[in-house]
Amino acid sequence: MSYPADSKPLTILIAADTYPPNVNGAAQFGYRLAKGMNGRGHDVHVLAPGSANGRSFTEPGGDWTVHRLRSHSVPTHDYWRICYPWEIRRDISLLFDQVQPDVVHIQCHYMVGEYTLYEAVRRGIRVVATNHFMPENINPFLPFPDWFKKVVARNSWRDMGKVMGKAAAVTTPTPLAAKAMRDHAFLTDVMPVSNGIDSAAYEVQPGEVIEPYEHPTVLFVGRLAEEKHVDVLIDAVARTPEHLRVHLEIVGGGEVKPALQAQAARLGIADRVTFRGLIDDDELRRSYIRASLFCQPGTAELQSLVTLEAMSASTPVLLANAMALPHLVSDGENGYLFTPGDSEELGARITQILELSGEDQRAMGAASRTMVGRHDINTTLETFEGLYYGTLSPAAAADEDGVHAAPAGSGADRPTRIQ
């Protein structure tokens, strides 16, 4: 295994099975990681599936280089692409010859990540592996009965262990996700490292005026997929008192959108539910700031970048008590957890927050902003640099709570908690 010297910038190859223009947390993290490492002076290359049919190619221009692999559409998903091993192995090998990476960072154990890791290991190149997925994330796109999906999930966990076990370091966004990987993929020394966020980007800037919505508004941002359970949120809004006139803003697209629109109409609240679709980053930032509170009812979140973004905008949050979401709530301080799938409880929590005084709602939002500080993107980038150079060891640095020493040369003199 080769360890690059820490006295020079690195050539980093980031292998991602989903990357912009895809809209999801893993794709966003891959983009932010590439941008951050490029900004720190490294030579960054991203390897990802192409977003349309055609041969493998390298995108022209850009602050860092993006290489696209030949890929194919999936009938059950509107943008996901898969790469066939027999079509990409040679292209991956040729890319290694061209790029000569010092370190490889895979973002998934499927397809692109798997075969990029195998090539790196064959060449003795250091590999860092990050897991952003739970096997349950793909269940809505598998046209099989539940018993067969469970078989697929067990095999996926097993494959994760087989593939990522070959990496020099393995990370995932939260301690809970790390525990799941230890329990199901039998991976030891999994290091929780937050995806990180530039929280200042979501604050109201000096001299900037962004008026709140006319009516109290609950915001959801994310893919409209079954595991997000946006139907529970729509039902909850319908249960709130009429005098509050609670509105719901839904940002994102996906396969269940028509069903959600029909549900809002059936419940008689279509005039209070706005489906924004995909919007640009500036409009999304304004939505976070204008909203009264943010809700994430999903049950398969490994971290939830959109929740971190909402918290950065000083917005109270209501999150399902599932997977990693509890790490983002201090009950009664910056919001509340609710029982997954329980629209009655969620409706009561929405009502509880919106009936608070304006001062108390602002205090909740301020608590969100304070809590998100531990997820600063610069800490995340420093941690990954330590893993890239081999100066930070997950086995020596991580404990059950996700506390690890700051990487050498980071300037930190105390442990940093990553959640």
Side-chain angles (χ1 to χ4, degrees):
M1 181 73 70
S2 62
Y3 287 77
D6 60 3
S7 59
K8 66 178 183 66
L10 301 173
T11 298
I12 303 169
L13 177 59
I14 299 170
D17 282 81
T18 180
Y19 189 76
N22 293 0
V23 181
N24 58 64
Q28 278 296 102
F29 173 75
Y31 175 84
R32 291 174 178 175
L33 177 66
K35 180 179 180 180
M37 290 301 171
N38 176 74
R40 296 169 86 89
H42 301 291
D43 179 19
V44 178
H45 294 255
V46 174
L47 179 61
S51 55
N53 293 338
R55 302 178 65 180
S56 300
F57 69 100
T58 297
E59 293 182 357
D63 293 330
W64 57 92
T65 307
V66 178
H67 309 274
R68 297 287 185 173
L69 289 169
R70 183 177 183 181
S71 66
H72 304 269
S73 61
V74 178
T76 56
H77 200 288
D78 57 352
Y79 69 73
W80 196 268
R81 311 280 297 183
I82 62 172
C83 299
Y84 298 145
W86 56 89
E87 291 182 341
I88 65 173
R89 282 173 175 160
R90 180 175 180 275
D91 289 343
I92 290 175
S93 180
L94 290 173
L95 183 65
F96 271 78
D97 291 339
Q98 172 191 338
V99 173
Q100 295 289 307
D102 296 306
V103 64
V104 166
H105 189 170
I106 70 169
Q107 306 300 307
C108 183
H109 70 284
Y110 299 127
M111 298 173 299
V112 178
E114 178 180 8
Y115 289 97
T116 303
L117 176 141
Y118 290 159
E119 186 66 23
V121 169
R122 187 177 72 82
R123 295 175 183 241
I125 297 171
R126 183 174 177 82
V127 179
V128 174
T130 296
N131 177 48
H132 298 281
F133 295 93
M134 299 295 287
E136 292 76 11
N137 292 143
I138 65 173
N139 280 351
F141 313 111
L142 298 177
F144 307 122
D146 287 343
W147 69 267
F148 191 78
K149 290 179 181 180
K150 292 178 181 179
V151 173
V152 172
R154 286 196 298 270
N155 287 336
S156 182
W157 281 118
R158 183 198 64 199
D159 290 344
M160 182 190 298
K162 181 184 73 172
V163 175
M164 291 192 169
K166 299 179 184 297
V170 181
T171 77
T172 195
T174 62
L176 190 62
K179 183 179 184 302
M181 292 170 69
R182 289 192 292 268
D183 291 346
H184 300 295
F186 307 109
L187 288 163
T188 59
D189 303 325
V190 179
M191 185 176 184
V193 181
S194 174
N195 283 332
I197 188 170
D198 180 8
S199 53
Y202 298 90
E203 296 176 337
V204 177
Q205 301 303 305
E208 183 182 32
V209 178
I210 299 178
E211 296 291 342
Y213 289 114
E214 179 182 356
H215 299 283
T217 300
V218 182
L219 175 66
F220 168 83
V221 178
R223 178 170 172 75
L224 302 185
E226 288 183 18
E227 75 272 15
K228 298 297 185 180
H229 301 295
V230 182
D231 59 319
V232 176
L233 176 55
I234 292 175
D235 191 36
V237 169
R239 292 172 179 270
T240 59
E242 180 64 28
H243 73 271
L244 287 177
R245 295 296 295 167
V246 178
H247 283 57
L248 173 60
E249 180 178 5
I250 298 174
V251 175
E255 64 279 356
V256 301
K257 180 177 179 179
L260 297 176
Q261 290 173 318
Q263 178 188 5
R266 186 173 64 254
L267 294 173
I269 60 171
D271 61 328
R272 292 192 279 135
V273 180
T274 302
F275 290 84
R276 297 286 306 277
L278 301 179
I279 60 178
D280 64 29
D281 289 344
D282 184 60
E283 278 297 305
L284 178 58
R285 171 181 173 272
R286 293 174 65 86
S287 288
Y288 286 131
I289 294 170
R290 299 182 73 189
S292 307
L293 59 92
F294 177 85
C295 181
Q296 174 53 271
T299 55
E301 303 296 315
L302 279 185
Q303 182 167 49
S304 185
L305 276 175
V306 292
T307 301
L308 292 178
E309 291 170 353
M311 292 170 66
S312 298
S314 299
T315 305
V317 296
L318 285 172
L319 310 179
N321 189 8
M323 284 305 297
L325 294 177
H327 291 280
L328 302 178
V329 174
S330 180
D331 235 33
E333 293 185 23
N334 74 314
Y336 295 97
L337 296 171
F338 65 91
T339 305
D342 192 334
S343 60
E344 184 175 357
E345 180 185 350
L346 177 55
R349 287 300 193 188
I350 292 172
T351 302
Q352 181 180 359
I353 291 178
L354 295 181
E355 287 185 337
L356 292 173
S357 67
E359 181 179 356
D360 286 342
Q361 289 184 44
R362 287 189 291 273
M364 269 194 167
S368 278
R369 180 63 185 85
T370 298
M371 288 180 63
V372 85
R374 72 187 70 173
H375 298 277
D376 181 71
I377 186 64
N378 290 312
T379 300
T380 296
L381 295 174
E382 288 175 358
T383 300
F384 279 118
E385 276 188 331
L387 294 174
Y388 293 165
Y389 284 122
T391 58
L392 180 63
S393 167
D399 67 14
E400 287 293 322
D401 293 321
V403 179
H404 64 82
S410 69
D413 58 1
R414 64 183 187 278
T416 301
R417 182 176 294 273
I418 299 295
Q419 292 189 354

PDB file of all heavy atoms in Angstrom, residues 372-402:
ATOM      1  N   VAL A 372     -25.566  23.331  14.390  1.00  0.00           N
ATOM      2  CA  VAL A 372     -24.994  22.933  13.116  1.00  0.00           C
ATOM      3  C   VAL A 372     -23.509  23.287  13.023  1.00  0.00           C
ATOM      4  O   VAL A 372     -22.803  22.796  12.143  1.00  0.00           O
ATOM      5  CB  VAL A 372     -25.787  23.578  11.951  1.00  0.00           C
ATOM      6  CG1 VAL A 372     -25.300  24.985  11.647  1.00  0.00           C
ATOM      7  CG2 VAL A 372     -25.721  22.709  10.709  1.00  0.00           C
ATOM      8  N   GLY A 373     -23.025  24.099  13.954  1.00  0.00           N
ATOM      9  CA  GLY A 373     -21.625  24.502  13.919  1.00  0.00           C
ATOM     10  C   GLY A 373     -20.653  23.340  13.970  1.00  0.00           C
ATOM     11  O   GLY A 373     -19.553  23.406  13.419  1.00  0.00           O
ATOM     12  N   ARG A 374     -21.061  22.227  14.605  1.00  0.00           N
ATOM     13  CA  ARG A 374     -20.166  21.068  14.723  1.00  0.00           C
ATOM     14  C   ARG A 374     -19.963  20.360  13.383  1.00  0.00           C
ATOM     15  O   ARG A 374     -19.121  19.471  13.271  1.00  0.00           O
ATOM     16  CB  ARG A 374     -20.713  20.083  15.753  1.00  0.00           C
ATOM     17  CG  ARG A 374     -21.945  19.328  15.302  1.00  0.00           C
ATOM     18  CD  ARG A 374     -22.568  18.491  16.405  1.00  0.00           C
ATOM     19  NE  ARG A 374     -23.177  19.322  17.426  1.00  0.00           N
ATOM     20  CZ  ARG A 374     -23.902  18.833  18.432  1.00  0.00           C
ATOM     21  NH1 ARG A 374     -24.091  17.544  18.554  1.00  0.00           N
ATOM     22  NH2 ARG A 374     -24.421  19.641  19.327  1.00  0.00           N
ATOM     23  N   HIS A 375     -20.767  20.729  12.386  1.00  0.00           N
ATOM     24  CA  HIS A 375     -20.687  20.082  11.073  1.00  0.00           C
ATOM     25  C   HIS A 375     -19.957  20.958  10.047  1.00  0.00           C
ATOM     26  O   HIS A 375     -20.169  20.808   8.849  1.00  0.00           O
ATOM     27  CB  HIS A 375     -22.096  19.756  10.573  1.00  0.00           C
ATOM     28  CG  HIS A 375     -22.830  18.793  11.446  1.00  0.00           C
ATOM     29  ND1 HIS A 375     -22.671  17.431  11.364  1.00  0.00           N
ATOM     30  CD2 HIS A 375     -23.709  19.003  12.455  1.00  0.00           C
ATOM     31  CE1 HIS A 375     -23.434  16.843  12.269  1.00  0.00           C
ATOM     32  NE2 HIS A 375     -24.075  17.769  12.943  1.00  0.00           N
ATOM     33  N   ASP A 376     -19.118  21.845  10.517  1.00  0.00           N
ATOM     34  CA  ASP A 376     -18.416  22.769   9.617  1.00  0.00           C
ATOM     35  C   ASP A 376     -17.641  22.017   8.544  1.00  0.00           C
ATOM     36  O   ASP A 376     -16.920  21.047   8.825  1.00  0.00           O
ATOM     37  CB  ASP A 376     -17.459  23.652  10.427  1.00  0.00           C
ATOM     38  CG  ASP A 376     -16.723  24.638   9.550  1.00  0.00           C
ATOM     39  OD1 ASP A 376     -17.356  25.584   9.071  1.00  0.00           O
ATOM     40  OD2 ASP A 376     -15.512  24.437   9.315  1.00  0.00           O
ATOM     41  N   ILE A 377     -17.788  22.457   7.291  1.00  0.00           N
ATOM     42  CA  ILE A 377     -17.179  21.772   6.157  1.00  0.00           C
ATOM     43  C   ILE A 377     -15.658  21.739   6.251  1.00  0.00           C
ATOM     44  O   ILE A 377     -15.015  20.782   5.815  1.00  0.00           O
ATOM     45  CB  ILE A 377     -17.620  22.420   4.822  1.00  0.00           C
ATOM     46  CG1 ILE A 377     -17.105  21.620   3.620  1.00  0.00           C
ATOM     47  CG2 ILE A 377     -17.176  23.871   4.755  1.00  0.00           C
ATOM     48  CD1 ILE A 377     -17.647  20.233   3.507  1.00  0.00           C
ATOM     49  N   ASN A 378     -15.053  22.768   6.858  1.00  0.00           N
ATOM     50  CA  ASN A 378     -13.590  22.792   6.944  1.00  0.00           C
ATOM     51  C   ASN A 378     -13.065  21.682   7.843  1.00  0.00           C
ATOM     52  O   ASN A 378     -12.003  21.096   7.573  1.00  0.00           O
ATOM     53  CB  ASN A 378     -13.122  24.159   7.446  1.00  0.00           C
ATOM     54  CG  ASN A 378     -13.332  25.239   6.409  1.00  0.00           C
ATOM     55  OD1 ASN A 378     -12.977  25.067   5.248  1.00  0.00           O
ATOM     56  ND2 ASN A 378     -13.933  26.347   6.805  1.00  0.00           N
ATOM     57  N   THR A 379     -13.804  21.366   8.917  1.00  0.00           N
ATOM     58  CA  THR A 379     -13.414  20.246   9.769  1.00  0.00           C
ATOM     59  C   THR A 379     -13.489  18.935   8.993  1.00  0.00           C
ATOM     60  O   THR A 379     -12.613  18.073   9.091  1.00  0.00           O
ATOM     61  CB  THR A 379     -14.324  20.180  11.006  1.00  0.00           C
ATOM     62  OG1 THR A 379     -14.213  21.394  11.747  1.00  0.00           O
ATOM     63  CG2 THR A 379     -13.947  19.005  11.899  1.00  0.00           C
ATOM     64  N   THR A 380     -14.535  18.785   8.198  1.00  0.00           N
ATOM     65  CA  THR A 380     -14.687  17.587   7.372  1.00  0.00           C
ATOM     66  C   THR A 380     -13.534  17.447   6.389  1.00  0.00           C
ATOM     67  O   THR A 380     -12.944  16.372   6.239  1.00  0.00           O
ATOM     68  CB  THR A 380     -16.031  17.638   6.615  1.00  0.00           C
ATOM     69  OG1 THR A 380     -17.101  17.616   7.565  1.00  0.00           O
ATOM     70  CG2 THR A 380     -16.175  16.466   5.658  1.00  0.00           C
ATOM     71  N   LEU A 381     -13.195  18.533   5.712  1.00  0.00           N
ATOM     72  CA  LEU A 381     -12.111  18.480   4.726  1.00  0.00           C
ATOM     73  C   LEU A 381     -10.773  18.181   5.392  1.00  0.00           C
ATOM     74  O   LEU A 381      -9.964  17.404   4.867  1.00  0.00           O
ATOM     75  CB  LEU A 381     -12.046  19.809   3.968  1.00  0.00           C
ATOM     76  CG  LEU A 381     -13.265  20.125   3.094  1.00  0.00           C
ATOM     77  CD1 LEU A 381     -13.147  21.531   2.507  1.00  0.00           C
ATOM     78  CD2 LEU A 381     -13.430  19.099   1.975  1.00  0.00           C
ATOM     79  N   GLU A 382     -10.522  18.764   6.558  1.00  0.00           N
ATOM     80  CA  GLU A 382      -9.281  18.478   7.277  1.00  0.00           C
ATOM     81  C   GLU A 382      -9.204  16.997   7.675  1.00  0.00           C
ATOM     82  O   GLU A 382      -8.143  16.373   7.599  1.00  0.00           O
ATOM     83  CB  GLU A 382      -9.184  19.359   8.525  1.00  0.00           C
ATOM     84  CG  GLU A 382      -8.898  20.819   8.228  1.00  0.00           C
ATOM     85  CD  GLU A 382      -8.936  21.682   9.481  1.00  0.00           C
ATOM     86  OE1 GLU A 382      -9.222  21.133  10.569  1.00  0.00           O
ATOM     87  OE2 GLU A 382      -8.709  22.886   9.371  1.00  0.00           O
ATOM     88  N   THR A 383     -10.337  16.458   8.099  1.00  0.00           N
ATOM     89  CA  THR A 383     -10.360  15.053   8.486  1.00  0.00           C
ATOM     90  C   THR A 383     -10.029  14.158   7.299  1.00  0.00           C
ATOM     91  O   THR A 383      -9.208  13.229   7.407  1.00  0.00           O
ATOM     92  CB  THR A 383     -11.740  14.683   9.059  1.00  0.00           C
ATOM     93  OG1 THR A 383     -12.005  15.492  10.213  1.00  0.00           O
ATOM     94  CG2 THR A 383     -11.790  13.213   9.441  1.00  0.00           C
ATOM     95  N   PHE A 384     -10.665  14.414   6.163  1.00  0.00           N
ATOM     96  CA  PHE A 384     -10.391  13.579   4.996  1.00  0.00           C
ATOM     97  C   PHE A 384      -8.960  13.761   4.510  1.00  0.00           C
ATOM     98  O   PHE A 384      -8.336  12.792   4.056  1.00  0.00           O
ATOM     99  CB  PHE A 384     -11.401  13.854   3.882  1.00  0.00           C
ATOM    100  CG  PHE A 384     -12.703  13.133   4.080  1.00  0.00           C
ATOM    101  CD1 PHE A 384     -13.888  13.826   4.233  1.00  0.00           C
ATOM    102  CD2 PHE A 384     -12.736  11.750   4.146  1.00  0.00           C
ATOM    103  CE1 PHE A 384     -15.073  13.158   4.447  1.00  0.00           C
ATOM    104  CE2 PHE A 384     -13.927  11.065   4.360  1.00  0.00           C
ATOM    105  CZ  PHE A 384     -15.098  11.769   4.513  1.00  0.00           C
ATOM    106  N   GLU A 385      -8.408  14.955   4.608  1.00  0.00           N
ATOM    107  CA  GLU A 385      -6.996  15.121   4.250  1.00  0.00           C
ATOM    108  C   GLU A 385      -6.115  14.240   5.127  1.00  0.00           C
ATOM    109  O   GLU A 385      -5.165  13.622   4.644  1.00  0.00           O
ATOM    110  CB  GLU A 385      -6.583  16.587   4.392  1.00  0.00           C
ATOM    111  CG  GLU A 385      -6.902  17.436   3.177  1.00  0.00           C
ATOM    112  CD  GLU A 385      -6.314  18.828   3.288  1.00  0.00           C
ATOM    113  OE1 GLU A 385      -6.159  19.326   4.426  1.00  0.00           O
ATOM    114  OE2 GLU A 385      -6.031  19.438   2.234  1.00  0.00           O
ATOM    115  N   GLY A 386      -6.425  14.193   6.430  1.00  0.00           N
ATOM    116  CA  GLY A 386      -5.656  13.328   7.324  1.00  0.00           C
ATOM    117  C   GLY A 386      -5.745  11.869   6.919  1.00  0.00           C
ATOM    118  O   GLY A 386      -4.762  11.128   6.979  1.00  0.00           O
ATOM    119  N   LEU A 387      -6.933  11.446   6.476  1.00  0.00           N
ATOM    120  CA  LEU A 387      -7.101  10.069   6.004  1.00  0.00           C
ATOM    121  C   LEU A 387      -6.383   9.843   4.684  1.00  0.00           C
ATOM    122  O   LEU A 387      -5.823   8.764   4.439  1.00  0.00           O
ATOM    123  CB  LEU A 387      -8.588   9.747   5.864  1.00  0.00           C
ATOM    124  CG  LEU A 387      -9.396   9.728   7.162  1.00  0.00           C
ATOM    125  CD1 LEU A 387     -10.875   9.531   6.874  1.00  0.00           C
ATOM    126  CD2 LEU A 387      -8.886   8.654   8.120  1.00  0.00           C
ATOM    127  N   TYR A 388      -6.396  10.832   3.804  1.00  0.00           N
ATOM    128  CA  TYR A 388      -5.705  10.704   2.513  1.00  0.00           C
ATOM    129  C   TYR A 388      -4.204  10.545   2.710  1.00  0.00           C
ATOM    130  O   TYR A 388      -3.559   9.697   2.091  1.00  0.00           O
ATOM    131  CB  TYR A 388      -5.952  11.940   1.649  1.00  0.00           C
ATOM    132  CG  TYR A 388      -7.377  12.143   1.176  1.00  0.00           C
ATOM    133  CD1 TYR A 388      -7.773  13.374   0.648  1.00  0.00           C
ATOM    134  CD2 TYR A 388      -8.329  11.141   1.242  1.00  0.00           C
ATOM    135  CE1 TYR A 388      -9.067  13.591   0.192  1.00  0.00           C
ATOM    136  CE2 TYR A 388      -9.616  11.336   0.799  1.00  0.00           C
ATOM    137  CZ  TYR A 388      -9.984  12.570   0.275  1.00  0.00           C
ATOM    138  OH  TYR A 388     -11.261  12.784  -0.164  1.00  0.00           O
ATOM    139  N   TYR A 389      -3.635  11.378   3.590  1.00  0.00           N
ATOM    140  CA  TYR A 389      -2.182  11.335   3.802  1.00  0.00           C
ATOM    141  C   TYR A 389      -1.757  10.164   4.678  1.00  0.00           C
ATOM    142  O   TYR A 389      -0.586   9.821   4.744  1.00  0.00           O
ATOM    143  CB  TYR A 389      -1.712  12.635   4.453  1.00  0.00           C
ATOM    144  CG  TYR A 389      -1.642  13.822   3.522  1.00  0.00           C
ATOM    145  CD1 TYR A 389      -2.373  14.977   3.779  1.00  0.00           C
ATOM    146  CD2 TYR A 389      -0.826  13.800   2.391  1.00  0.00           C
ATOM    147  CE1 TYR A 389      -2.300  16.078   2.935  1.00  0.00           C
ATOM    148  CE2 TYR A 389      -0.738  14.888   1.543  1.00  0.00           C
ATOM    149  CZ  TYR A 389      -1.474  16.031   1.823  1.00  0.00           C
ATOM    150  OH  TYR A 389      -1.396  17.119   0.995  1.00  0.00           O
ATOM    151  N   GLY A 390      -2.709   9.574   5.400  1.00  0.00           N
ATOM    152  CA  GLY A 390      -2.361   8.498   6.319  1.00  0.00           C
ATOM    153  C   GLY A 390      -1.891   8.985   7.662  1.00  0.00           C
ATOM    154  O   GLY A 390      -1.326   8.218   8.454  1.00  0.00           O
ATOM    155  N   THR A 391      -2.127  10.288   7.974  1.00  0.00           N
ATOM    156  CA  THR A 391      -1.719  10.838   9.268  1.00  0.00           C
ATOM    157  C   THR A 391      -2.814  10.705  10.311  1.00  0.00           C
ATOM    158  O   THR A 391      -2.589  11.018  11.475  1.00  0.00           O
ATOM    159  CB  THR A 391      -1.338  12.322   9.121  1.00  0.00           C
ATOM    160  OG1 THR A 391      -2.460  13.054   8.596  1.00  0.00           O
ATOM    161  CG2 THR A 391      -0.150  12.488   8.191  1.00  0.00           C
ATOM    162  N   LEU A 392      -3.990  10.258   9.908  1.00  0.00           N
ATOM    163  CA  LEU A 392      -5.106  10.054  10.829  1.00  0.00           C
ATOM    164  C   LEU A 392      -5.591   8.629  10.673  1.00  0.00           C
ATOM    165  O   LEU A 392      -5.936   8.198   9.575  1.00  0.00           O
ATOM    166  CB  LEU A 392      -6.243  11.034  10.516  1.00  0.00           C
ATOM    167  CG  LEU A 392      -7.490  10.953  11.405  1.00  0.00           C
ATOM    168  CD1 LEU A 392      -7.146  11.288  12.850  1.00  0.00           C
ATOM    169  CD2 LEU A 392      -8.557  11.909  10.890  1.00  0.00           C
ATOM    170  N   SER A 393      -5.618   7.886  11.781  1.00  0.00           N
ATOM    171  CA  SER A 393      -6.011   6.480  11.734  1.00  0.00           C
ATOM    172  C   SER A 393      -7.384   6.305  12.360  1.00  0.00           C
ATOM    173  O   SER A 393      -7.566   6.618  13.539  1.00  0.00           O
ATOM    174  CB  SER A 393      -4.993   5.621  12.495  1.00  0.00           C
ATOM    175  OG  SER A 393      -5.507   4.331  12.719  1.00  0.00           O
ATOM    176  N   PRO A 394      -8.375   5.811  11.609  1.00  0.00           N
ATOM    177  CA  PRO A 394      -9.693   5.579  12.191  1.00  0.00           C
ATOM    178  C   PRO A 394      -9.646   4.630  13.387  1.00  0.00           C
ATOM    179  O   PRO A 394     -10.345   4.827  14.370  1.00  0.00           O
ATOM    180  CB  PRO A 394     -10.489   4.966  11.038  1.00  0.00           C
ATOM    181  CG  PRO A 394      -9.788   5.406   9.805  1.00  0.00           C
ATOM    182  CD  PRO A 394      -8.335   5.474  10.180  1.00  0.00           C
ATOM    183  N   ALA A 395      -8.823   3.601  13.318  1.00  0.00           N
ATOM    184  CA  ALA A 395      -8.761   2.613  14.397  1.00  0.00           C
ATOM    185  C   ALA A 395      -8.284   3.245  15.695  1.00  0.00           C
ATOM    186  O   ALA A 395      -8.757   2.915  16.779  1.00  0.00           O
ATOM    187  CB  ALA A 395      -7.830   1.475  14.001  1.00  0.00           C
ATOM    188  N   ALA A 396      -7.350   4.174  15.584  1.00  0.00           N
ATOM    189  CA  ALA A 396      -6.791   4.788  16.786  1.00  0.00           C
ATOM    190  C   ALA A 396      -7.605   5.981  17.241  1.00  0.00           C
ATOM    191  O   ALA A 396      -7.600   6.328  18.420  1.00  0.00           O
ATOM    192  CB  ALA A 396      -5.347   5.235  16.514  1.00  0.00           C
ATOM    193  N   ALA A 397      -8.322   6.619  16.308  1.00  0.00           N
ATOM    194  CA  ALA A 397      -8.924   7.910  16.618  1.00  0.00           C
ATOM    195  C   ALA A 397     -10.402   7.876  16.916  1.00  0.00           C
ATOM    196  O   ALA A 397     -10.921   8.767  17.565  1.00  0.00           O
ATOM    197  CB  ALA A 397      -8.673   8.873  15.455  1.00  0.00           C
ATOM    198  N   ALA A 398     -11.144   6.887  16.433  1.00  0.00           N
ATOM    199  CA  ALA A 398     -12.602   6.905  16.587  1.00  0.00           C
ATOM    200  C   ALA A 398     -13.034   6.052  17.759  1.00  0.00           C
ATOM    201  O   ALA A 398     -12.433   5.047  18.082  1.00  0.00           O
ATOM    202  CB  ALA A 398     -13.268   6.387  15.307  1.00  0.00           C
ATOM    203  N   ASP A 399     -14.119   6.506  18.428  1.00  0.00           N
ATOM    204  CA  ASP A 399     -14.735   5.682  19.449  1.00  0.00           C
ATOM    205  C   ASP A 399     -16.210   5.523  19.137  1.00  0.00           C
ATOM    206  O   ASP A 399     -16.689   5.951  18.102  1.00  0.00           O
ATOM    207  CB  ASP A 399     -14.492   6.260  20.856  1.00  0.00           C
ATOM    208  CG  ASP A 399     -15.205   7.589  21.090  1.00  0.00           C
ATOM    209  OD1 ASP A 399     -16.096   7.938  20.287  1.00  0.00           O
ATOM    210  OD2 ASP A 399     -14.871   8.263  22.083  1.00  0.00           O
ATOM    211  N   GLU A 400     -16.945   4.920  20.017  1.00  0.00           N
ATOM    212  CA  GLU A 400     -18.346   4.601  19.746  1.00  0.00           C
ATOM    213  C   GLU A 400     -19.171   5.858  19.504  1.00  0.00           C
ATOM    214  O   GLU A 400     -20.207   5.821  18.869  1.00  0.00           O
ATOM    215  CB  GLU A 400     -18.932   3.813  20.924  1.00  0.00           C
ATOM    216  CG  GLU A 400     -18.431   2.385  21.009  1.00  0.00           C
ATOM    217  CD  GLU A 400     -18.919   1.535  19.852  1.00  0.00           C
ATOM    218  OE1 GLU A 400     -20.061   1.707  19.425  1.00  0.00           O
ATOM    219  OE2 GLU A 400     -18.153   0.693  19.383  1.00  0.00           O
ATOM    220  N   ASP A 401     -18.754   7.004  20.077  1.00  0.00           N
ATOM    221  CA  ASP A 401     -19.533   8.225  19.946  1.00  0.00           C
ATOM    222  C   ASP A 401     -19.090   9.087  18.777  1.00  0.00           C
ATOM    223  O   ASP A 401     -19.580  10.186  18.579  1.00  0.00           O
ATOM    224  CB  ASP A 401     -19.421   9.058  21.232  1.00  0.00           C
ATOM    225  CG  ASP A 401     -20.087   8.353  22.405  1.00  0.00           C
ATOM    226  OD1 ASP A 401     -21.143   7.749  22.184  1.00  0.00           O
ATOM    227  OD2 ASP A 401     -19.541   8.406  23.520  1.00  0.00           O
ATOM    228  N   GLY A 402     -18.125   8.612  18.006  1.00  0.00           N
ATOM    229  CA  GLY A 402     -17.712   9.381  16.847  1.00  0.00           C
ATOM    230  C   GLY A 402     -16.728  10.478  17.175  1.00  0.00           C
ATOM    231  O   GLY A 402     -16.609  11.464  16.456  1.00  0.00           O
TER     232      GLY A 402
END
